[in-house]
Amino acid sequence: MPDPEPLRDGNSEDARQAMLVFAPRILAREWVPLSGACGRVLATALIAGGDHPPFDAASMDGFAFAALGREQRLTVIGESRPGRPFGRAVARGEAVHISSGSVLPRGADTVLPRESAVIEGETLIGDSEMGAFVRRVGGDFSR
């Protein structure tokens, strides 16, 4: 690589030419496997074909319910597992056992982590800040 000539009179065109000596040259577009793409620049915009996650999902194992902003007693009425979402909406006062990555049932907006839950007989006692431990649809990227 040639040494740039010293700048004359602080001319902006001289500065531009000096920078271009060290600027990388774009040769042509080429397809490379993802494993070989590190350190490269995209030739065109990358467009997402859909939202990720594609649904509101639990980010922890625990219990999905509608938060009221205070401790509440909840009746566990079922479960939502990966590939087997709970089949109906969750009403106030109800909760669904949920696995990490599972679809958040309709009506639920919050997940109480399993290790934070207190269970007395058939009743779950707990509270979690609204929206806690939920990955929202399109939260990583959207279409």
Side-chain angles (χ1 to χ4, degrees):
M1 186 175 292
D3 288 332
E5 292 185 27
L7 296 180
R8 300 181 298 267
D9 304 334
N11 181 320
S12 62
E13 179 57 26
D14 291 341
R16 189 178 85 74
Q17 290 299 323
M19 282 190 326
L20 288 176
V21 170
F22 294 104
R25 303 284 191 259
I26 298 174
L27 302 174
R29 291 183 189 187
E30 63 179 329
W31 291 95
V32 297
L34 186 57
S35 62
C38 186
R40 293 177 166 265
V41 176
L42 290 172
T44 60
L46 182 62
I47 307 296
D51 296 333
H52 193 271
F55 46 79
D56 288 346
S59 65
M60 298 276 295
D61 288 346
F63 299 90
F65 65 100
L68 297 178
R70 57 179 163 74
E71 185 175 278
Q72 54 189 314
R73 292 181 170 275
L74 303 162
T75 303
V76 179
I77 59 169
E79 75 177 314
S80 182
R81 296 184 308 209
R84 299 192 109 188
F86 185 65
R88 69 170 181 82
V90 175
R92 295 248 181 236
E94 296 178 332
V96 171
H97 182 270
I98 194 162
S99 301
S100 181
S102 297
V103 175
L104 200 70
R106 288 183 328 257
D109 58 19
T110 303
V111 173
L112 174 68
R114 182 178 199 85
E115 54 272 12
S116 299
V118 175
I119 300 175
E120 288 181 0
E122 299 294 314
T123 304
L124 168 67
I125 302 171
D127 183 31
S128 202
E129 188 175 321
M130 185 181 288
F133 304 105
V134 174
R135 294 179 58 223
R136 294 288 173 206
V137 63
D140 293 340
F141 57 82
S142 58
R143 181 178 172 90

